Amino acid sequence: NPISAREKRQATVANAMRLTPPPSTFAGAAARSLSAAALAALLSVSSITPSVPPAFGPAAAQAKELASGSGSRVNKDPISLLRLALPRVSKEARELQAGLEECQDNLARLNGQVASSALQKAKVAAGKSGAMLKSVPPAKAAEAQAALDTINAAMDEVGAKIAASRQGEALAATERALGAVTQLQEAMASGYAQPSPPKEFASLPYLKGRATVDLVLQPGKEHGQFDVEGKLYKQLEVKMVVDGYTSPITAGNFVDLVRRGFYNGMHIQRSDGFVVQTGDPSNELEGSGADAKKNGYVEGGKVRKIPLEVMVRGDKDPIYSATFDDDGRGGYAAAMPFNSYGALGMAREEYDPDSASSQWFWLLFDSDLTPAGKNLLDGRYACFGYTVDGARLLSDVKEGDIIASAKVSSGESNLVLPTAPALAVAAE
């Protein structure tokens, strides 16, 4: 059967996710494109509908929860996706989240009646505060109670604003309530005993929990100013949350490189409307005689490589060095799906799952490229975080633009660096 336009676009993105290749490898690009297109065609006719386990605990009402491996809707909200990836969150807190997200969605659609019904569901869940507080470590109990107080006050305001047909103000109050839901769920997750990665990766840094990275982009010499929907910017500022719960090594490697200043001054090396990619130091050294094969972070004379790290929603540990398909779970929902504009992914070589080093990309999400149930990216590339502020600004980032700075603004203390013995063993 002929390959559809959507499948061709999926194949284009699949090729774009790979490492920026040295000049000698461009000859095989056509063959790789055909291979990716064949894979996309196979996926497009797949009817796999596996039973997906609940996320880290009891199942709850879904609302935005539908991820890439199930259903017909795609949750594109990065904050919601980050909430859903938190471990150790109680069923009642998930129900509270679901009701408020459903309320938020319907207020945005100016559907006040349905929003009011969803709000009542959230209030019922909020009434189970005792059960929720039992899931919070004692050290975080006061913080969790304060979050619940904020949620209840905000929900009362939402109801009053809906009754007065002031839906814009109701939406703002709903967002405040959801912000407090995040605080409540993060308090629960703080009690999670995150396991260390497998011993064979002891020489690599990893992230426990989460970290936030602030990044500033400036236009390259030929770009002038950024033009985002008619508004001009001299520089762009974006905020990203990277997740160590679902991809501890990938996130830890990224945070480690950011704190070292590795990306400061580096250019954007690929921008094709689907992805914005950077991180290849050999591309920064044109004409210098640098070894083009060392297109990653060099440590001790060798490129530091990290394993492919993907996680099925509901699992307690990531899958290492294998895709979902390799693990016999192709089509399952990912704990961190490539659903959001500005999702962060790790680039790697096509046929080597453990070839990632320092190259990463922002996915400029398009539901045609990653439709629900037929996502070409989930389980094949590591999604290790989301852009939570400034994502839409990425639409005018071009090749040659510059990362003026990248800084870890919070969570650096969650980075676990390898010990000297582990580094010595790796060197051997």
Side-chain angles (χ1 to χ4, degrees), residues 52-139:
V52 181
F56 289 105
Q62 288 193 339
K64 289 185 178 180
E65 189 168 353
L66 294 176
S68 58
S70 62
S72 58
R73 293 180 58 193
V74 176
N75 181 359
K76 304 176 186 179
D77 182 350
I79 304 299
S80 172
L81 292 169
L82 285 166
R83 280 193 287 262
L84 291 167
L86 284 169
R88 204 177 173 275
V89 173
S90 71
K91 173 184 176 181
E92 295 80 11
R94 288 291 184 218
E95 291 172 345
L96 175 59
Q97 174 187 349
L100 283 171
E101 287 183 349
E102 184 181 352
C103 179
Q104 178 191 42
D105 184 56
N106 281 284
L107 284 171
R109 299 170 185 269
L110 302 179
N111 193 337
Q113 184 175 357
V114 178
S116 182
S117 177
L119 178 64
Q120 295 310 308
K121 297 177 187 177
K123 286 187 172 183
V124 170
K128 303 172 185 177
S129 59
M132 286 188 275
L133 290 172
K134 285 182 181 179
S135 297
V136 177

Side-chain angles (χ1 to χ4, degrees), residues 388-408:
V388 297
D389 190 19
R392 287 292 164 182
L393 300 177
L394 298 170
S395 62
D396 194 45
V397 174
K398 294 179 169 53
E399 290 182 21
D401 290 342
I402 303 164
I403 298 175
S405 68
K407 298 179 180 178
V408 184

Side-chain angles (χ1 to χ4, degrees), residues 309-326:
E309 193 175 34
V310 290
M311 188 167 176
V312 171
R313 183 157 58 97
D315 282 4
K316 292 184 178 181
D317 298 294
I319 300 168
Y320 289 95
S321 305
T323 66
F324 283 6
D325 290 323
D326 295 335

Side-chain angles (χ1 to χ4, degrees), residues 4-91:
S4 71
R6 184 174 74 186
E7 290 159 359
K8 289 179 181 178
R9 295 175 70 196
Q10 289 176 325
T12 300
V13 172
N15 280 323
M17 303 301 157
R18 301 178 189 120
L19 297 180
T20 304
S24 62
T25 67
F26 276 112
R32 289 197 302 272
S33 180
L34 287 173
S35 174
L39 175 61
L42 176 63
L43 290 171
S44 70
V45 298
S46 173
S47 59
I48 298 175
T49 54
S51 175
V52 181
F56 289 105
Q62 288 193 339
K64 289 185 178 180
E65 189 168 353
L66 294 176
S68 58
S70 62
S72 58
R73 293 180 58 193
V74 176
N75 181 359
K76 304 176 186 179
D77 182 350
I79 304 299
S80 172
L81 292 169
L82 285 166
R83 280 193 287 262
L84 291 167
L86 284 169
R88 204 177 173 275
V89 173
S90 71
K91 173 184 176 181

Side-chain angles (χ1 to χ4, degrees), residues 179-202:
V181 168
T182 296
Q183 294 172 353
L184 173 64
Q185 293 183 352
E186 287 177 342
M188 292 178 179
S190 68
Y192 177 61
Q194 182 173 336
S196 301
K199 290 183 179 179
E200 59 262 40
F201 306 123

Side-chain angles (χ1 to χ4, degrees), residues 218-221 267-270 398-402:
Q218 294 179 346
K221 292 181 180 180
H267 292 80
I268 298 301
Q269 295 150 359
R270 172 178 284 146
K398 294 179 169 53
E399 290 182 21
D401 290 342
I402 303 164

